[in-house]
Amino acid sequence: MATSKLTLVWFSLSPSELSSLLLLLLLPFIYLLRLLYPFYYFPALFSAPLPRSRTTDRLNVCLICFAAMADAAAAAPIVVPQRQLFIDGNWRPPRKGAHIPVINPATEQIIGEIPGATSEDVNDAVKAAKKAFLHNKGQHWSRATGEARGKYLRAIADKVTERKLWLAELETLDCGKPIDEAVWDMEDVAACFEYYAGLAEKLDEIQYAPVELPLQNYKSNILKEPIGVVALITPWNYPLLMATWKVAPALAAGCAVILKPSELASVTCLELASIIQEVGIPPGIFNVITGFGPAAGAPLAAHEDVDKVAFTGSTKTGRSIMEMAARITKPVSLELGGKSPLIVFDDADIDTAVEWAMFGAFWTNGQICAATSRLLLQENIAEKFLKKLADWSASIKIGNPLEKGCRLGPVVSESQYTKILKYISTAQAEGASLLCGGKRPDHLKKGYFVGATVLSDVKPWMQIWKEEVFGPVLAVSTFKTEEEALHLANDSPYGLAGAVISKDADRCKRVSEGLQAGIVWINCSQPTFCQTPWGGVKRSGFGRELGEWGLENYLSVKQLTRYISNEPFGWYPPISKL
């Protein structure tokens, strides 16, 4: 009956009314096609006052129907695309037919699958990458101008921006990252490709840069060339963003890439392959191999035709990659674990410092290699600071990561969830005091959720102080003097990052110089920009990503020296004078 009434309304509209209706229907129709923007953005567009008439009443009937359709579409579940391995510009099933389930950590439900590559697939990808790198003597990619490669990178950035919300939703489903963070990540992904597009273009300007020499009968120039076929092995905490940190500079440099994302979060990396296929990067220049580390990552790192390995992940796995690379003298760059300190002095503003302490430990569900998960408080502010910290941390919104305003989602997997809870129980057994968190909140019956956890009375010998937890857990200790704070901060095998909060600029300068870390934040924690170098010291790895340093990771430097004198060299006497 409702349908017949709507039909009568439709056919009784005048031509001018039909034109107005079709114009108004464009917005919800686009929404239904794209599924990118929530319907609540539209009311403002419809809120302009219209004269009351039979026309507006009829239009309102149609608009209400389409609004209902849009709401129904918004409520539909997000479907994880079914992808295969991306090799030589095409989608291929894994040779052995293996697949790995994709599990939503918020619901513990299987929502899709990814292909499980093995060494046979790795061989195919490496062969394709090497062929593409050398094709036509490199003229189509490796020896093309930086400007030409930069155009492709800008096109990728545009596609990521177009699909930002959809990619963010896939990221959230795959790894549990709150949607607001995931959107931010996608914006950073696009910005990173844009940035390296610019550096690719600048490469053209610096090629054959002259070198000043002490002898006038020689001239020397520097040529920067892509290192070759590179294996990029990336983690699950920032699946697409940390892949981009490697992929963008490698492509900008002219390398051929084989990306191996973590088996725990590969969905958006496969979507990057779809985007790269769309923009037309030559086949074989970008490949994606998904699968378990031993089956796919290890043979990729050890492959004799891979010219370099760049890895982000655990120190243990990084050590294994170094061993494999050493057998054939292959360069590696490693961004490994961390146990970063945040030092708060007694002149700091308490509220400001507490929020930075929370952000540094709980951002990305605490799953950050550079998390400032060791909090050092000056003794005379510790009691007040901890009270504020515990109350505020306990109030963090934790739940469905797809809900706007969620600030803490689930950790990535059941094994990670179990590991984090074990760390917390061990800390309590060793004498630490649990101020908040420490378990899945009562209102959540399933999902790998761990409430924001603060542990005080932590001693330097405790496991929770020494080892990387990779979860929303903040260990707190105290200090009396600046010297003691630096000693406690540096008493770690890791050296990825560190932070200091104080109103005393001179003190901040001293402490930042004294911290044994590759990254130091002053009066903040975690800000990261693609223009600045990223990497650590000690067991946190070596090499730098991002900025100009990230591009240098994928370039080799060639010296070109010419003898320009018309005179003979003259070291050996001519035969006629012997």
Side-chain angles (χ1 to χ4, degrees), residues 224-247:
K224 294 191 174 183
E225 299 177 318
I227 204 166
V229 175
V230 295
L232 312 179
I233 304 176
T234 56
W236 45 258
N237 55 336
Y238 289 86
L240 186 54
L241 181 57
M242 285 202 170
T244 297
W245 285 10
K246 292 175 170 56
V247 170

Side-chain angles (χ1 to χ4, degrees), residues 423-440:
Y423 268 114
I424 295 169
S425 63
T426 299
Q428 291 178 275
E430 291 179 342
S433 300
L434 180 66
L435 299 186
C436 64
K439 63 184 180 68
R440 180 165 53 200

Side-chain angles (χ1 to χ4, degrees), residues 184-408:
W184 196 349
D185 283 1
M186 296 311 123
E187 292 170 351
D188 285 348
V189 166
C192 193
F193 274 108
E194 281 282 355
Y195 173 73
Y196 280 107
L199 288 193
E201 292 162 355
K202 288 181 180 178
L203 265 179
D204 296 336
E205 301 171 10
I206 63 173
Q207 293 291 34
Y208 294 94
V211 178
E212 189 174 335
L213 300 176
L215 300 178
Q216 298 303 311
N217 46 351
Y218 295 93
K219 280 191 175 180
S220 190
N221 299 84
I222 298 299
L223 181 63
K224 294 191 174 183
E225 299 177 318
I227 204 166
V229 175
V230 295
L232 312 179
I233 304 176
T234 56
W236 45 258
N237 55 336
Y238 289 86
L240 186 54
L241 181 57
M242 285 202 170
T244 297
W245 285 10
K246 292 175 170 56
V247 170
L251 292 178
C255 293
V257 168
I258 304 162
L259 173 63
K260 161 57 179 80
S262 167
E263 68 276 8
L264 293 175
S266 297
V267 171
T268 51
C269 289
L270 289 168
E271 292 313 298
L272 176 62
S274 178
I275 288 172
I276 284 176
Q277 186 181 43
E278 284 184 42
V279 303
I281 283 181
I285 291 299
F286 180 79
N287 309 272
V288 181
I289 294 290
T290 57
F292 293 110
L300 179 60
H303 204 290
E304 63 181 8
D305 286 331
V306 169
D307 298 300
K308 173 175 178 156
V309 180
F311 171 76
T312 297
S314 72
T315 299
K316 180 181 177 182
T317 304
R319 190 178 295 119
S320 297
I321 287 173
M322 283 184 68
E323 291 171 357
M324 288 184 280
R327 295 185 190 125
I328 52 176
T329 322
K330 180 186 304 181
V332 297
S333 54
L334 305 173
E335 197 262 273
L336 307 176
K339 192 68 179 178
S340 303
L342 169 60
I343 304 171
V344 181
F345 287 94
D346 58 5
D347 63 342
D349 178 82
I350 297 293
D351 286 357
T352 300
V354 166
E355 185 173 18
W356 281 119
M358 292 165 58
F359 189 77
F362 305 142
W363 170 251
T364 311
N365 306 333
Q367 299 168 128
I368 318 174
C369 50
T372 42
S373 57
R374 289 189 297 144
L375 176 60
L376 286 157
L377 300 175
Q378 200 151 25
E379 282 184 348
N380 53 333
I381 61 166
E383 183 177 354
K384 181 179 179 182
F385 194 104
L386 287 172
K387 176 67 168 63
K388 183 78 174 183
L389 175 64
D391 291 346
W392 203 346
S393 298
S395 74
I396 292 175
K397 181 179 179 179
I398 178 172
N400 180 2
L402 284 170
E403 289 183 3
K404 290 188 71 65
C406 174
R407 290 296 179 262
L408 194 60

Side-chain angles (χ1 to χ4, degrees), residues 47-308:
S47 62
L50 294 172
R52 181 75 184 187
S53 68
R54 189 178 64 164
T55 299
T56 56
D57 287 342
R58 290 168 176 169
L59 292 177
N60 284 337
V61 171
C62 293
L63 286 173
I64 289 168
C65 292
F66 277 91
M69 291 171 63
D71 286 340
I78 303 158
V79 178
V80 174
Q82 181 67 47
R83 300 288 188 191
Q84 300 294 346
L85 303 174
F86 188 70
I87 299 173
D88 202 16
N90 296 300
W91 299 100
R92 301 183 185 180
R95 283 184 176 265
K96 293 188 175 179
H99 286 81
I100 302 167
V102 175
I103 298 174
N104 181 345
T107 65
E108 305 180 35
Q109 300 297 309
I110 295 174
I111 56 173
E113 63 180 19
I114 58 170
T118 56
S119 59
E120 293 85 354
D121 303 301
V122 168
N123 287 336
D124 290 344
V126 174
K127 182 179 178 180
K130 184 175 181 179
K131 179 182 176 182
F133 184 79
L134 298 174
H135 178 66
N136 195 25
K137 297 182 180 180
Q139 296 304 311
H140 77 315
W141 187 258
S142 59
R143 294 193 179 277
T145 64
E147 181 183 11
R149 294 194 296 269
K151 289 179 180 177
Y152 285 108
L153 268 63
R154 292 192 196 281
I156 295 169
D158 290 343
K159 292 287 186 183
V160 170
T161 299
E162 288 173 11
R163 302 173 193 182
K164 174 178 69 174
L165 296 178
W166 181 64
L167 289 169
E169 288 174 339
L170 290 179
E171 199 82 292
T172 293
L173 286 175
D174 200 17
C175 72
K177 185 186 293 280
I179 187 65
D180 293 341
E181 294 185 27
V183 170
W184 196 349
D185 283 1
M186 296 311 123
E187 292 170 351
D188 285 348
V189 166
C192 193
F193 274 108
E194 281 282 355
Y195 173 73
Y196 280 107
L199 288 193
E201 292 162 355
K202 288 181 180 178
L203 265 179
D204 296 336
E205 301 171 10
I206 63 173
Q207 293 291 34
Y208 294 94
V211 178
E212 189 174 335
L213 300 176
L215 300 178
Q216 298 303 311
N217 46 351
Y218 295 93
K219 280 191 175 180
S220 190
N221 299 84
I222 298 299
L223 181 63
K224 294 191 174 183
E225 299 177 318
I227 204 166
V229 175
V230 295
L232 312 179
I233 304 176
T234 56
W236 45 258
N237 55 336
Y238 289 86
L240 186 54
L241 181 57
M242 285 202 170
T244 297
W245 285 10
K246 292 175 170 56
V247 170
L251 292 178
C255 293
V257 168
I258 304 162
L259 173 63
K260 161 57 179 80
S262 167
E263 68 276 8
L264 293 175
S266 297
V267 171
T268 51
C269 289
L270 289 168
E271 292 313 298
L272 176 62
S274 178
I275 288 172
I276 284 176
Q277 186 181 43
E278 284 184 42
V279 303
I281 283 181
I285 291 299
F286 180 79
N287 309 272
V288 181
I289 294 290
T290 57
F292 293 110
L300 179 60
H303 204 290
E304 63 181 8
D305 286 331
V306 169
D307 298 300
K308 173 175 178 156

